[in-house]
Amino acid sequence: MPTLRSHILISGDPVSLARGAEAIKGAVESELAYYALTDEVAVALSGNLRLAPEQLPAAVIYPDDVTYGPITLNDVPLIVSEHLYKGRIVDALQITTKPLTGAIVRVPAREGALFAQQRVVLARAGIINPESIEDYVAHDGYAALGHALTRMTPAQVVQEITDAGLQGRGGAGFPVGKKLNLVAKAPGEEKFVLCNADESEPGTFKDRLIIEGDPHSVLEGMLLAGYAIGARVGYIYIRGEYHLARERLEQAIRQARAMGLLGEGIFATDFTFDIHVHSGAGAYICGEESALIESFEGKRGEPRIRPPFPTTVGVWGRPTAVNNVESLANLPPIVKNGASWYRSIGTAKCPGTKVYTMLGDVNVTGLIEVPMGTTLRTVIEVYGGGMKQGKPFKLAQTGGSAGAIIDASFLDVPMDFAELAARGGGLGSGALLIAGPDTCVVDLAHVLLRFFASESCGKCVPCRIGTTRAKEILARLADARATLDDIHQLERIANNMQAAAFCGLGQAAAVPILTGLRFFRNEFVAHAEQHCLAGVCPMRGEPPAAKRRFGRKELATAA
Amino acid sequence: MTGLATAFGSGAMTNSIADLENAKAILVIGSNTTEQHPVIGTRIRRAARKGTKVILADPRAIDLANIAAIHLRHRAGTDLALLNGLAHVILKEGLEDKEFIANRTEGFETWRSTVEAYTPERVSDITGVPAQDIITAARLFATNSPATICYAMGITQHTVGHNNVLAVANLTMLTGNIGKPGGGVAPLRGQNNVQGACDVGGLPNFYTGYQRVADQGARAKFEKAWGASLSPQPGLTVGEMLNAAHDGRIKAMWIVGENIAMSDPDAAHVRAALEHLDFLVVQELFMTETAQLADVVLPAASFAEKDGTFTNTERRVQRVRKAVAPPGQARADWQIVCDVARHVVSSFKALELKGSDNLKPETWNYETPSQIMDEIASLTPSYAGISFERIETRGLQWPVPNSTHPGTPLLHTEKFSRGKGLFSPVEHQEPAELPDSTYPFTLTTGRILQHYHTGSMTRRVAGLEQLAPEERVEVNPDDAARLGLADGDWVRVSSRRGTIESRAWVTDRVGRGLVFMTFHYAEALSNVLTNTAVDPVAQSPELKVCAVSVEKATKS
Amino acid sequence: MPINLTINGKPVQAREGQTVLEVCWENHISLPTLCHHPDLTPVGACRLCVVEVEKMRGLIASCTLPATEGMVVRTETPKVVEERKFILEMLLTDHPNDCMTCESNGDCELQNAVYQYQVPWPEHKGARHNYPAGADPNPFVFTDFNKCILCTRCVRACAEIQGRNVWGVAFRGFNDRIVAGADVTMLEAGCESCGACAAYCPTGALTDKPSRGQARSYQMKKVTTTCVYCGVGCQFDLNVRSGRVVKVTSNPKAPVNGMALCVKGRYGYEFIHHPDRLTKPLVKKDGAFVETTWEEALSLIGKKFAQVKKENGADAFATLASAKATNEENYLIQKFTRVVMGTNNVDHCARL
């Protein structure tokens, strides 16, 4: 069998196909034949590479991890002769600028960065064909499941995950092992695994790319969780807009069933498990686990009273382990490599890696996976390619809309759940909005509160009315029609929402206000005095000095 | 009532209303509960929400059909066959409560041989219910214990009403659903105080507390207490009174708060009978159809204008309180009875009527209803412990044998009132009047949620009248198509006894060949059509089945 | 096993399954509520009953908080009071300031709480809903969703008490609105007009239509009685003002029905004061009724009844007692028939 030294993947999405991707593939094959490289380089028409339309069609060459695009038939001879034959990257054809794409950011190894990405969850994403279970299996897929089913008791699986110290990656950081243990111990014959793939936090799209890039890792994680708690059925509640991710999951489920990895008697044991996918209908609140369960059961998506928690009374009143996609995708590597391996990554309090979605005023946006404890400065400088136009860093918002607005004093804080929380921030789901001096905090808070006001389910008074009143005050502040009293009222609303709102949504809606006020109070006061320090807010209808940085539309596209 | 009395020794609801929510299965037969007893209907709906299996047996797709685990849509007048069929399946599958039958009942073996003939197939032929549904329903009823049976006029207003009730009692005893919470039989009494009116002797054969007029000991007791000699001859029932009036055997009548010219079957016959009387006194709130036929009409106080007690369907004696003064010169019925009694006794003296010497006008000087209740309690074992003082805040459920007894929410716990429960063999019998070529439809009657009985009260409430302004004869869509009827068209409904015209409601609430009407609307009165045939034991009229013709009409 | 906890420094005991709110109320510690009703499943929506609990973050709604061993609860700390004032203020920012003419004035739980916490009317410039009042044509329930605080007591009452599911919550967030069915009329949504929603409504959003403008709650005397319609035996309160029954309200202590009533029980009282009521004895002369005095009517009846007995015998007379009359009245009627007239010809419509 000949040894393949390179793979070249041609984008095979509809746009690329319309622009002649198949012809390009044919041309690549004939060029390779010309250089007698057919046995050394594999050519494939891949799925969607998730590039911007203007970059299509594109080609990715592995293991060099170089992307060319947009390319035409005329570019093919150059790419094959230079890159594949002579080993030189064709800089002119490389995708240089990366607008907000939602692609997985790969820092080319040859740059020799100090902090290479350490991939646990995304180890296979972008490398294997996500639509091929064979590829997944060839890359150690389902090895952890086989190991667990044949060599470990369910209790040992729970213990391994507990020892690994994995914390839930949906935002709250609840220990996953503890949660699985609660469900395993909860009375009841029937139990469920429920995968929360309703990723609705603006600016967050990590779960989508995990599923799209490596759907089987999520299935395997669910199988392990199911084995650990004694469930026979798992459900994936996926955000309604995630069409491709849903298709990938459904295809992966079909493949796993066909291979006997889902269904009865998995790995010739008496373990039986199946997975079903359920699409949400576009409500932010349904990312909250109890609202998600309500919605999943066909009811209005509103949070439930807790206790009882889903671990004892979940889907249809049965004990249910509700876990985020990223958390589940962490299970196979933990089970396969062991807790101590996992603990060797990240920090003592928060082991493992974290997948971040980076967006805002950095040169490279997208998805990265780094060890817990990596500082914001490293993330921006190494993975984000530095601040855009070399402007200084002003603020970051961690964790999506519900995250804290933090200032430059956080740049060198090792980022994990514990450290950020201790300093009044929060890691949240892992969205990193990076902003330079052209961003007005009041404007940003206004945009965020507009989002919360429109996504509040309306069940409890503090959130239903509080978000709207806060939004109104911020609108007045942004338009220089507010007073200092309004700032006090804004703070009062936020404090009371945080103290007594029914669920995390209402409590978290206060976070950007309170952290914004904590770190940038002067900007709010300036607005009350009819100045926008960033110079972006229209003062009493006057045209702004600069363009607003974050509009609702931009944030929505990011998600 | 006579049926349950035969089987159990007491004709009243065995359990309490709140107890319905403890039932695992509820068989509702001959009761449109959510419309006739709405608050009990909500209890059934609440129970269903919590998982109770509701088995509905009704010729019509009434509201309860929406929540029923199974709806047996039997032909009107075949309840008994259906009940026997359910019992047959339970026996055949060995689902009966053998211990209960052995320890607490008698007559089982004789009864069993009757039920053996009621195979699902045969019952299906009689009732039109698919055999498999009968089997399913029987299993649901027998395997979800405790189970309750709710029934109302749909069971009793038949010429086999008494036997229907016996069949209900048989099924209950067969499954051991007596004397335990969540079980029992719930005969839902139609009117607010029909239970109380029966309890205190408003019946021709009973004094208070079901002490028999024909029983010498009971008679002696009442003669002593009342200081008068009493007739040993049981009196006439309503139907018999009307026949007697028609024949001239009864000359004078006093009707207190009933509108029999509308509520009783064959309205033309009722009217003729009342017109034939020499002297009729009607005591009423309004100038009803019956009052119009009277020689003297006395204005009575409404429930809001007097004190007293009502006894509800679960045997609970509760206070009625005066909130406002009666209008004009209207008086409370109890005061009027005293007034009339004193005048009649005085007239006896004037006429020197023999045997009236010991009657004294001053014995009719009751001052308060409380005083009257004390007299009832002194003569009625089941009411012995009841006084206004004790029921001031919360009514008591009889029997209340003494003044410290807490009342009896659950009957027949240790033994039946008659000792052992009696299984009575009962056979299916067709209704008195069946559809034929001239009168091809079956008419069944009942009430709707928004109105009450003859409408003398509810039709004077603007909002209720707005919700349900007129009679609507329910006609099946297939029949309507054949008759050329559209929803809302006028129809002429005729029976051997009369004809009415009304709008049609084309709906599959009724099956083919069945039409339904209420008796709320004087302008389109179903009782013009209904049959006076009665049950030979209970004397209840067969209001639930008669034969009619239906044709399209043009209303000028 | 009783659960021991401390509320406002005082040791109290709770039973398994009790919420902190229930424990407080049982121990006469008053806590304001809006969305809570003891008959209905708790939802924790209004957050007015929040308390501080040691070792728990933030403020906790006591209506949904199970009492647990060792819990230390404080119900009126400055933080709690501030939260309650805030919640009430927020509600008022989207509420009409028309207590003067509001049907529920004096009987409004929002008004009571605002009064208790002395929340001033907020000067507010933001969005406010303006729904058409009285838009639903139901003859008995008046709807004014401007006054709705979205406690969902109506939704729960309809579903859990009446078993009917007419009401639901539509839209989201600030625009949440209570709707019948898929935003149709109540009757179209299968409403039985039982009025439970209005009975459970804590504000003036759902009120009884026939009694609008008739009387303030504090102007009415409540008389507990038993319903005159069917045999269920529901009890309720007749609300009387100036000698007239102007309204019927549920009496939560009613043994059979609690707060539940049907359309006739709650709204079918208009006949009491109907102009058609008979107010004087009438005798028929030449085929027409003429008014007479009680004395004349009674004399006539006395003579006629006596005459029939004398001439035709006791059994030529019959009485119909009444399933609508009281026990006492029925007793007297049968006693009269048996004792005075000497016949057992007494019956009533027992079979109808």
PDB file of all heavy atoms in Angstrom, chain C residues 244-264:
ATOM      1  N   ARG C 244     -79.752  44.053  47.760  1.00  0.00           N
ATOM      2  CA  ARG C 244     -79.740  43.338  46.480  1.00  0.00           C
ATOM      3  C   ARG C 244     -78.512  42.441  46.389  1.00  0.00           C
ATOM      4  O   ARG C 244     -77.425  42.820  46.805  1.00  0.00           O
ATOM      5  CB  ARG C 244     -79.709  44.330  45.316  1.00  0.00           C
ATOM      6  CG  ARG C 244     -81.009  45.082  45.108  1.00  0.00           C
ATOM      7  CD  ARG C 244     -80.893  46.042  43.935  1.00  0.00           C
ATOM      8  NE  ARG C 244     -80.830  45.373  42.639  1.00  0.00           N
ATOM      9  CZ  ARG C 244     -81.895  44.999  41.950  1.00  0.00           C
ATOM     10  NH1 ARG C 244     -83.102  45.205  42.443  1.00  0.00           N
ATOM     11  NH2 ARG C 244     -81.767  44.418  40.779  1.00  0.00           N
ATOM     12  N   VAL C 245     -78.729  41.265  45.805  1.00  0.00           N
ATOM     13  CA  VAL C 245     -77.599  40.393  45.502  1.00  0.00           C
ATOM     14  C   VAL C 245     -76.950  40.957  44.237  1.00  0.00           C
ATOM     15  O   VAL C 245     -77.564  40.992  43.171  1.00  0.00           O
ATOM     16  CB  VAL C 245     -78.067  38.950  45.255  1.00  0.00           C
ATOM     17  CG1 VAL C 245     -76.892  38.081  44.817  1.00  0.00           C
ATOM     18  CG2 VAL C 245     -78.719  38.384  46.504  1.00  0.00           C
ATOM     19  N   VAL C 246     -75.705  41.435  44.370  1.00  0.00           N
ATOM     20  CA  VAL C 246     -75.074  42.058  43.210  1.00  0.00           C
ATOM     21  C   VAL C 246     -73.962  41.185  42.627  1.00  0.00           C
ATOM     22  O   VAL C 246     -73.423  41.481  41.560  1.00  0.00           O
ATOM     23  CB  VAL C 246     -74.497  43.446  43.535  1.00  0.00           C
ATOM     24  CG1 VAL C 246     -75.621  44.406  43.823  1.00  0.00           C
ATOM     25  CG2 VAL C 246     -73.521  43.394  44.692  1.00  0.00           C
ATOM     26  N   LYS C 247     -73.645  40.126  43.325  1.00  0.00           N
ATOM     27  CA  LYS C 247     -72.508  39.343  42.866  1.00  0.00           C
ATOM     28  C   LYS C 247     -72.448  38.045  43.654  1.00  0.00           C
ATOM     29  O   LYS C 247     -72.925  37.977  44.778  1.00  0.00           O
ATOM     30  CB  LYS C 247     -71.236  40.174  43.120  1.00  0.00           C
ATOM     31  CG  LYS C 247     -69.954  39.600  42.603  1.00  0.00           C
ATOM     32  CD  LYS C 247     -68.829  40.615  42.860  1.00  0.00           C
ATOM     33  CE  LYS C 247     -67.508  40.025  42.449  1.00  0.00           C
ATOM     34  NZ  LYS C 247     -66.551  41.001  42.003  1.00  0.00           N
ATOM     35  N   VAL C 248     -71.856  37.038  43.010  1.00  0.00           N
ATOM     36  CA  VAL C 248     -71.566  35.799  43.719  1.00  0.00           C
ATOM     37  C   VAL C 248     -70.054  35.619  43.713  1.00  0.00           C
ATOM     38  O   VAL C 248     -69.413  35.788  42.680  1.00  0.00           O
ATOM     39  CB  VAL C 248     -72.250  34.598  43.033  1.00  0.00           C
ATOM     40  CG1 VAL C 248     -71.642  33.277  43.501  1.00  0.00           C
ATOM     41  CG2 VAL C 248     -73.750  34.610  43.312  1.00  0.00           C
ATOM     42  N   THR C 249     -69.485  35.316  44.873  1.00  0.00           N
ATOM     43  CA  THR C 249     -68.041  35.041  44.902  1.00  0.00           C
ATOM     44  C   THR C 249     -67.799  33.665  45.509  1.00  0.00           C
ATOM     45  O   THR C 249     -68.572  33.186  46.338  1.00  0.00           O
ATOM     46  CB  THR C 249     -67.278  36.101  45.727  1.00  0.00           C
ATOM     47  OG1 THR C 249     -67.940  36.275  46.981  1.00  0.00           O
ATOM     48  CG2 THR C 249     -67.219  37.428  45.005  1.00  0.00           C
ATOM     49  N   SER C 250     -66.719  33.058  45.059  1.00  0.00           N
ATOM     50  CA  SER C 250     -66.336  31.752  45.602  1.00  0.00           C
ATOM     51  C   SER C 250     -66.015  31.883  47.070  1.00  0.00           C
ATOM     52  O   SER C 250     -65.503  32.901  47.515  1.00  0.00           O
ATOM     53  CB  SER C 250     -65.091  31.228  44.892  1.00  0.00           C
ATOM     54  OG  SER C 250     -65.361  30.933  43.558  1.00  0.00           O
ATOM     55  N   ASN C 251     -66.309  30.836  47.796  1.00  0.00           N
ATOM     56  CA  ASN C 251     -65.900  30.755  49.192  1.00  0.00           C
ATOM     57  C   ASN C 251     -64.910  29.606  49.298  1.00  0.00           C
ATOM     58  O   ASN C 251     -65.283  28.443  49.155  1.00  0.00           O
ATOM     59  CB  ASN C 251     -67.127  30.495  50.070  1.00  0.00           C
ATOM     60  CG  ASN C 251     -66.774  30.474  51.535  1.00  0.00           C
ATOM     61  OD1 ASN C 251     -65.663  30.118  51.914  1.00  0.00           O
ATOM     62  ND2 ASN C 251     -67.711  30.863  52.369  1.00  0.00           N
ATOM     63  N   PRO C 252     -63.631  29.925  49.520  1.00  0.00           N
ATOM     64  CA  PRO C 252     -62.614  28.860  49.477  1.00  0.00           C
ATOM     65  C   PRO C 252     -62.861  27.744  50.484  1.00  0.00           C
ATOM     66  O   PRO C 252     -62.336  26.664  50.338  1.00  0.00           O
ATOM     67  CB  PRO C 252     -61.301  29.602  49.772  1.00  0.00           C
ATOM     68  CG  PRO C 252     -61.668  30.965  50.221  1.00  0.00           C
ATOM     69  CD  PRO C 252     -63.053  31.245  49.773  1.00  0.00           C
ATOM     70  N   LYS C 253     -63.709  28.016  51.496  1.00  0.00           N
ATOM     71  CA  LYS C 253     -63.957  26.983  52.507  1.00  0.00           C
ATOM     72  C   LYS C 253     -65.091  26.030  52.111  1.00  0.00           C
ATOM     73  O   LYS C 253     -65.392  25.090  52.851  1.00  0.00           O
ATOM     74  CB  LYS C 253     -64.311  27.643  53.844  1.00  0.00           C
ATOM     75  CG  LYS C 253     -63.131  28.340  54.485  1.00  0.00           C
ATOM     76  CD  LYS C 253     -63.487  28.756  55.900  1.00  0.00           C
ATOM     77  CE  LYS C 253     -62.458  29.707  56.467  1.00  0.00           C
ATOM     78  NZ  LYS C 253     -63.046  30.955  56.959  1.00  0.00           N
ATOM     79  N   ALA C 254     -65.716  26.275  50.958  1.00  0.00           N
ATOM     80  CA  ALA C 254     -66.846  25.432  50.561  1.00  0.00           C
ATOM     81  C   ALA C 254     -66.405  23.972  50.494  1.00  0.00           C
ATOM     82  O   ALA C 254     -65.452  23.646  49.795  1.00  0.00           O
ATOM     83  CB  ALA C 254     -67.374  25.889  49.202  1.00  0.00           C
ATOM     84  N   PRO C 255     -67.075  23.087  51.249  1.00  0.00           N
ATOM     85  CA  PRO C 255     -66.553  21.719  51.371  1.00  0.00           C
ATOM     86  C   PRO C 255     -66.574  20.937  50.056  1.00  0.00           C
ATOM     87  O   PRO C 255     -65.700  20.121  49.827  1.00  0.00           O
ATOM     88  CB  PRO C 255     -67.462  21.071  52.413  1.00  0.00           C
ATOM     89  CG  PRO C 255     -68.628  21.960  52.568  1.00  0.00           C
ATOM     90  CD  PRO C 255     -68.231  23.323  52.115  1.00  0.00           C
ATOM     91  N   VAL C 256     -67.565  21.163  49.223  1.00  0.00           N
ATOM     92  CA  VAL C 256     -67.678  20.350  48.015  1.00  0.00           C
ATOM     93  C   VAL C 256     -66.840  20.926  46.882  1.00  0.00           C
ATOM     94  O   VAL C 256     -66.159  20.201  46.157  1.00  0.00           O
ATOM     95  CB  VAL C 256     -69.153  20.266  47.564  1.00  0.00           C
ATOM     96  CG1 VAL C 256     -69.268  19.577  46.211  1.00  0.00           C
ATOM     97  CG2 VAL C 256     -69.970  19.524  48.606  1.00  0.00           C
ATOM     98  N   ASN C 257     -66.898  22.234  46.719  1.00  0.00           N
ATOM     99  CA  ASN C 257     -66.378  22.834  45.497  1.00  0.00           C
ATOM    100  C   ASN C 257     -65.193  23.755  45.695  1.00  0.00           C
ATOM    101  O   ASN C 257     -64.521  24.093  44.733  1.00  0.00           O
ATOM    102  CB  ASN C 257     -67.495  23.632  44.814  1.00  0.00           C
ATOM    103  CG  ASN C 257     -68.102  24.659  45.743  1.00  0.00           C
ATOM    104  OD1 ASN C 257     -68.567  24.329  46.828  1.00  0.00           O
ATOM    105  ND2 ASN C 257     -68.085  25.907  45.338  1.00  0.00           N
ATOM    106  N   GLY C 258     -64.897  24.144  46.914  1.00  0.00           N
ATOM    107  CA  GLY C 258     -63.816  25.114  47.085  1.00  0.00           C
ATOM    108  C   GLY C 258     -64.092  26.358  46.264  1.00  0.00           C
ATOM    109  O   GLY C 258     -65.182  26.914  46.323  1.00  0.00           O
ATOM    110  N   MET C 259     -63.123  26.776  45.471  1.00  0.00           N
ATOM    111  CA  MET C 259     -63.283  27.981  44.653  1.00  0.00           C
ATOM    112  C   MET C 259     -64.076  27.717  43.369  1.00  0.00           C
ATOM    113  O   MET C 259     -64.480  28.636  42.687  1.00  0.00           O
ATOM    114  CB  MET C 259     -61.912  28.529  44.267  1.00  0.00           C
ATOM    115  CG  MET C 259     -61.083  29.064  45.419  1.00  0.00           C
ATOM    116  SD  MET C 259     -61.561  30.728  45.913  1.00  0.00           S
ATOM    117  CE  MET C 259     -60.886  31.706  44.556  1.00  0.00           C
ATOM    118  N   ALA C 260     -64.240  26.447  43.016  1.00  0.00           N
ATOM    119  CA  ALA C 260     -64.863  26.138  41.725  1.00  0.00           C
ATOM    120  C   ALA C 260     -66.367  26.372  41.764  1.00  0.00           C
ATOM    121  O   ALA C 260     -67.035  26.099  42.760  1.00  0.00           O
ATOM    122  CB  ALA C 260     -64.580  24.683  41.343  1.00  0.00           C
ATOM    123  N   LEU C 261     -66.885  26.906  40.668  1.00  0.00           N
ATOM    124  CA  LEU C 261     -68.319  27.048  40.484  1.00  0.00           C
ATOM    125  C   LEU C 261     -68.593  26.888  38.993  1.00  0.00           C
ATOM    126  O   LEU C 261     -67.678  27.012  38.183  1.00  0.00           O
ATOM    127  CB  LEU C 261     -68.801  28.437  40.936  1.00  0.00           C
ATOM    128  CG  LEU C 261     -68.889  28.691  42.443  1.00  0.00           C
ATOM    129  CD1 LEU C 261     -69.170  30.161  42.706  1.00  0.00           C
ATOM    130  CD2 LEU C 261     -69.972  27.836  43.076  1.00  0.00           C
ATOM    131  N   CYS C 262     -69.840  26.634  38.643  1.00  0.00           N
ATOM    132  CA  CYS C 262     -70.147  26.590  37.213  1.00  0.00           C
ATOM    133  C   CYS C 262     -70.785  27.915  36.813  1.00  0.00           C
ATOM    134  O   CYS C 262     -71.023  28.794  37.638  1.00  0.00           O
ATOM    135  CB  CYS C 262     -71.053  25.415  36.861  1.00  0.00           C
ATOM    136  SG  CYS C 262     -72.782  25.677  37.270  1.00  0.00           S
ATOM    137  N   VAL C 263     -71.058  28.028  35.532  1.00  0.00           N
ATOM    138  CA  VAL C 263     -71.587  29.297  35.016  1.00  0.00           C
ATOM    139  C   VAL C 263     -72.904  29.673  35.695  1.00  0.00           C
ATOM    140  O   VAL C 263     -73.157  30.845  35.967  1.00  0.00           O
ATOM    141  CB  VAL C 263     -71.721  29.234  33.473  1.00  0.00           C
ATOM    142  CG1 VAL C 263     -72.696  28.143  33.043  1.00  0.00           C
ATOM    143  CG2 VAL C 263     -72.144  30.578  32.901  1.00  0.00           C
ATOM    144  N   LYS C 264     -73.736  28.683  36.004  1.00  0.00           N
ATOM    145  CA  LYS C 264     -75.019  29.002  36.621  1.00  0.00           C
ATOM    146  C   LYS C 264     -74.821  29.419  38.077  1.00  0.00           C
ATOM    147  O   LYS C 264     -75.422  30.369  38.549  1.00  0.00           O
ATOM    148  CB  LYS C 264     -75.955  27.792  36.544  1.00  0.00           C
ATOM    149  CG  LYS C 264     -76.282  27.373  35.119  1.00  0.00           C
ATOM    150  CD  LYS C 264     -77.348  26.288  35.057  1.00  0.00           C
ATOM    151  CE  LYS C 264     -76.894  24.965  35.597  1.00  0.00           C
ATOM    152  NZ  LYS C 264     -75.936  24.245  34.747  1.00  0.00           N
TER     153      LYS C 264
END
